Amino acid sequence: EVQLVQSGAEVKKPGESLKISCKGSGYSFTSYWIGWVRQMPGKGLEWMGIVYPGDSDTRYSPSFQGQVTISADKSISTAYLQWSSLKASDTAVYYCAREFCSSTSCYNVIFDFWGQGTLVTVSS
Amino acid sequence: EIVLTQSPGTLSLSPGERATLSCRASQSVSSNNLAWYQQKPGQAHRLLIYDASSRATGIPDRFSGSGSGTDFTLTISRLEPEDCAVYYCQQYGSSPYTFGQGTKLEIK
């Protein structure tokens, strides 16, 4: 069974750093892109970026380029999303998700298995 | 950036009825690269439809997608109580890849 298990909720102050995680199991972790999606309070979903754990290739949405860092450690089947200096506007639920592969193609920009979400609260 | 507008915001229907959810794009979605997701309360998101009309793995044929260009539709026939969820569309034809704001489906 494919599972993506995310780290627990975080409460941080503006300016602090943070790294949240997403551990994959039940499939070949190095063979599928992992993406991150943000949902701010009361808002819709936002596609942030993706990482390919096999070689750590990373792609970012323009809005998130330079704002966050996406990475993966294939030795422990875990992807990460990190901030060097949090802002109050980073308060949101963050989801990791695995790329979708049909019988004929893989789509690294849409996702079929999702994590449960990690709530990040940034407040002074 | 392509803005996706979903309507209605909330839809309330009875079991056995048909639900029609709309997703309208601010500009044409390249190659009909549009997906639909379902999020049930307390559960992870689930991919339903990709490429506008192809069902994802294990999705029952009660769920169907249609449309092209700027207008897309998710149809759920023969509603069941378990279909109560928020449904999102996503375009992946051009970066940034964007989502609609969601339609909440309530089952009476």
Side-chain angles (χ1 to χ4, degrees):
Chain A
E1 178 192 9
V2 174
Q3 285 194 312
L4 295 172
V5 178
Q6 297 186 228
S7 50
E10 301 274 2
V11 179
K12 292 288 191 179
K13 290 181 166 45
E16 292 186 331
S17 63
L18 176 65
K19 192 174 189 178
I20 62 175
S21 66
C22 168
K23 183 172 178 60
S25 62
Y27 72 99
S28 175
F29 186 75
T30 55
S31 300
Y32 291 81
W33 290 83
I34 291 284
W36 289 92
V37 176
R38 181 174 79 175
Q39 187 166 33
M40 298 175 75
K43 302 294 186 182
L45 302 169
E46 298 173 272
W47 196 98
M48 301 177 69
I50 51 175
V51 60
Y52 189 73
D55 61 7
S56 293
D57 187 11
T58 310
R59 318 272 173 86
Y60 294 91
S61 180
S63 298
F64 292 94
Q65 179 82 49
Q67 307 304 307
V68 297
T69 301
I70 294 171
S71 61
D73 184 340
K74 63 185 180 182
S75 69
I76 55 172
S77 301
T78 301
Y80 300 99
L81 177 65
Q82 69 180 86
W83 296 260
S84 58
S85 180
L86 287 160
K87 302 184 284 288
S89 58
D90 293 318
T91 295
V93 176
Y94 294 87
Y95 296 95
C96 66
R98 195 192 77 168
E99 76 167 317
F100 169 64
C101 290
S102 69
S103 58
T104 55
S105 301
C106 285
Y107 300 70
N108 62 1
V109 294
I110 60 174
F111 309 114
D112 58 353
F113 290 95
W114 292 60
Q116 82 277 18
T118 295
L119 173 61
V120 174
T121 304
V122 184
S123 174
S124 54
Chain B
E1 173 175 322
I2 295 178
V3 176
L4 298 180
T5 302
Q6 292 187 240
S7 62
T10 302
L11 188 57
S12 184
L13 294 168
S14 299
E17 290 190 305
R18 174 192 297 253
T20 302
L21 286 66
S22 172
C23 177
R24 180 162 292 175
S26 59
Q27 53 190 281
S28 185
V29 175
S30 174
S31 302
N32 292 333
N33 288 151
L34 188 111
W36 289 92
Y37 297 90
Q38 175 194 64
Q39 186 184 27
K40 295 182 182 180
Q43 296 188 24
H45 296 76
R46 178 189 185 192
L47 177 67
L48 300 174
I49 301 289
Y50 66 100
D51 291 348
S53 60
S54 297
R55 271 186 297 276
T57 309
I59 302 303
D61 59 9
R62 299 189 299 107
F63 293 87
S64 62
S66 62
S68 64
T70 60
D71 288 292
F72 298 87
T73 301
L74 174 70
T75 301
I76 312 171
S77 61
R78 306 184 304 278
L79 280 171
E80 299 181 0
E82 66 195 42
D83 298 329
C84 176
V86 179
Y87 294 83
Y88 297 94
C89 56
Q90 178 203 352
Q91 69 81 20
Y92 50 99
S94 58
S95 178
Y97 311 115
T98 50
F99 292 84
Q101 82 282 12
T103 289
K104 183 177 183 180
L105 175 61
E106 298 176 341
I107 308 298
K108 296 176 187 175

